[in-house]
């Protein structure tokens, strides 16, 4: 009887540990360092099965999943927008303590590997956030000072973006300047994990990646396809890196004849204030 109970317990433990969670975060960021009043709100998913996790943009995932099924480019152009800075996918391998960032530059799939984790200081401060019991932690990480609130209510030691290393799930994290704020807003159990990781990605260093972005100059050659809806006053643009956006025709026209390309470039340009910056500590 005792042996049977042990087998049942082990089977139950395996079932619990094999559950797939999806944590949805509201992400507020200021992508323009020169305009502190310009704020973007987007939504990011963190999927985990207890062995690894994937952090990615929720709208991009919905778009890509739908397009794989119906191949309807017109519908893709009319779908929701998301910020171009959030075109990446982050994969954390818990056993290897390795973080892979997948992104696309022009037509090339790229992957950057990172082994650095925040060195947290855990404080004896407690707070209830959306009925979740949380504890405070702080860290200096990637050139910024961060405040996090984590919870042991879920069997997950992870968090949004590259944040990990705490004994629980990060429910809220923000930098000292409020340029980047992640708030957990929803928890789901899902049947399947995220599976849209790019294949055959080229490995590059962080320095090479930053140099690419710094020297990136947008041109009409970066556009894969376009769709103009005069009635709605919208222009749908698909870039070669996979990003898709709806642009306002009136806003483009206001730039004046001959400046259309420059206005489109401005509207599609990535921000110059990423989460990570040169360390000042």
């Amino acid at each position: 009887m005792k042996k049977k109970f042990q087998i049942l317990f082990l089977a139950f433990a395996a079932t619990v540990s094999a559950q797939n969670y999806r944590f949805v975060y509201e992400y507020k960021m200021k992508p323009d360092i020169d305009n502190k009043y310009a704020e973007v709100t987007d939504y990011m998913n963190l999927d985990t099965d207890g062995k690894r996790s994937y952090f990615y943009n929720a709208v991009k995932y919905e778009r890509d999943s739908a397009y794989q099924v119906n191949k309807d480019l017109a519908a893709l152009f009319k779908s929701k927008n998301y910020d171009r800075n959030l075109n990446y996918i982050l994969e954390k391998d818990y056993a290897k303590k390795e973080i892979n960032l997948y992104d696309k530059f022009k037509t090339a799939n790229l992957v950057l590997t990172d082994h650095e984790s925040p060195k947290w200081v855990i404080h004896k401060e407690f707070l209830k956030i959306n009925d979740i019991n949380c504890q405070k932690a702080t860290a200096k990480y990637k050139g910024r000072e961060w405040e996090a609130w984590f919870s042991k209510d879920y069997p997950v030691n992870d968090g949004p973006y590259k944040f990990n290393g705490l004994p629980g799930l990060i429910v809220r994290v923000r930098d000292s300047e409020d340029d980047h704020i992640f708030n957990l807003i929803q928890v789901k159990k899902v049947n399947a994990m995220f599976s849209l990781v790019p294949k055959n990605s080229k490995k590059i260093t962080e320095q090479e990646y930053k140099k690419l972005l710094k020297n990136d100059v947008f041109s009409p050659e970066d556009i894969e396809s376009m769709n103009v809806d005069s009635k709605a006053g919208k222009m749908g643009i698909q870039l070669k890196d996979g990003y898709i956006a709806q642009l306002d025709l009136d806003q483009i026209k206001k730039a004046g004849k001959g400046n259309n390309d420059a206005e489109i470039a401005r509207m599609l340009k990535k921000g110059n204030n990423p989460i990570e910056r040169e360390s000042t500590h």
Side-chain angles (χ1 to χ4, degrees):
M1 183 72 182
K2 186 177 179 181
K3 188 175 181 181
K4 185 178 180 182
F5 174 78
Q6 288 175 333
I7 293 171
L8 286 171
F9 176 79
L10 289 171
F12 173 76
T15 303
V16 171
S17 62
Q19 286 179 340
N20 301 323
Y21 282 94
R22 177 167 296 160
F23 301 98
V24 183
Y25 289 87
E26 179 188 69
Y27 177 27
K28 291 182 180 293
M29 69 168 173
K30 296 170 183 174
D32 189 347
I33 196 171
D34 298 319
N35 184 2
K36 286 289 185 177
Y37 297 101
E39 186 176 77
V40 171
T41 299
D42 231 310
Y43 298 89
M44 309 293 289
N45 292 340
L46 175 71
D47 286 11
T48 178
D49 62 0
K51 295 179 181 178
R52 65 182 63 221
S53 68
Y54 296 94
F55 183 72
Y56 56 94
N57 186 270
V59 172
K60 182 181 187 302
Y61 173 68
E62 290 170 7
R63 281 181 167 186
D64 292 349
S65 299
Y67 185 68
Q68 281 193 348
V69 174
N70 55 39
K71 303 295 182 184
D72 188 344
L73 190 59
L76 204 60
F77 283 137
K78 292 179 181 178
S79 58
K80 294 178 185 176
N81 279 352
Y82 65 91
D83 193 87
R84 195 181 172 207
N85 292 281
L86 306 177
N87 222 33
Y88 60 78
I89 298 164
L90 270 172
E91 175 189 50
K92 297 191 193 96
D93 187 313
Y94 299 156
K96 293 181 180 178
K97 295 184 178 179
E98 182 177 274
I99 303 171
N100 291 314
L101 185 148
Y102 296 89
D103 201 356
K104 197 165 185 178
F105 182 78
K106 308 296 182 181
T107 58
N109 289 323
L110 307 174
V111 59
L112 298 77
T113 300
D114 192 348
H115 293 94
E116 182 188 0
S117 293
K119 292 178 174 61
W120 296 104
V121 176
I122 297 176
H123 303 267
K124 291 184 178 179
E125 293 183 43
F126 302 88
L127 183 68
K128 210 157 193 174
I129 301 174
N130 297 329
D131 291 325
I132 301 174
N133 298 306
C134 300
Q135 186 172 357
K136 184 179 176 180
T138 55
K140 293 178 180 178
Y141 180 62
K142 303 294 186 183
R144 295 180 184 272
E145 295 183 8
W146 298 92
E147 176 190 277
W149 292 88
F150 69 95
S151 173
K152 297 178 181 178
D153 289 359
Y154 296 94
V156 175
N157 298 344
D158 205 345
Y161 192 63
K162 295 182 179 181
F163 299 106
N164 59 30
L166 283 168
L169 174 72
I170 295 175
V171 174
R172 176 184 296 165
V173 62
R174 67 199 303 161
D175 74 305
S176 58
E177 298 169 10
D178 282 347
D179 286 339
H180 302 275
I181 304 171
F182 294 92
N183 280 304
L184 179 67
I185 60 170
Q186 191 175 22
V187 179
K188 308 175 185 177
K189 288 182 181 178
V190 292
N191 294 325
M193 283 278 286
F194 178 83
S195 61
L196 298 179
V197 179
K199 296 179 181 178
N200 303 317
S201 295
K202 179 186 176 183
K203 286 191 174 185
I204 63 169
T205 66
E206 184 179 347
Q207 290 73 24
E208 290 171 332
Y209 180 66
K210 286 182 176 179
K211 188 176 179 181
L212 278 177
L213 295 183
K214 185 178 180 180
N215 297 330
D216 182 29
V217 178
F218 182 86
S219 74
E221 293 178 0
D222 294 323
I223 298 173
E224 180 73 27
S225 58
M226 295 174 59
N227 176 275
V228 176
D229 187 341
S230 301
K231 191 175 288 186
K234 299 289 183 182
M235 175 191 289
I237 288 184
Q238 180 185 32
L239 301 182
K240 289 180 179 177
D241 65 5
Y243 180 68
I244 291 173
Q246 283 193 81
L247 307 182
D248 193 296
L249 283 175
D250 287 339
Q251 196 170 342
I252 294 170
K253 289 174 183 175
K254 283 178 184 176
K257 195 172 182 181
N259 295 318
N260 291 358
D261 288 345
E263 179 62 17
I264 292 171
R266 187 193 67 79
M267 295 168 77
L268 294 177
K269 184 175 175 59
K270 285 190 177 185
N272 57 0
N273 187 23
I275 292 180
E276 301 179 29
R277 61 187 181 188
E278 297 300 319
S279 179
T280 56
H281 305 290

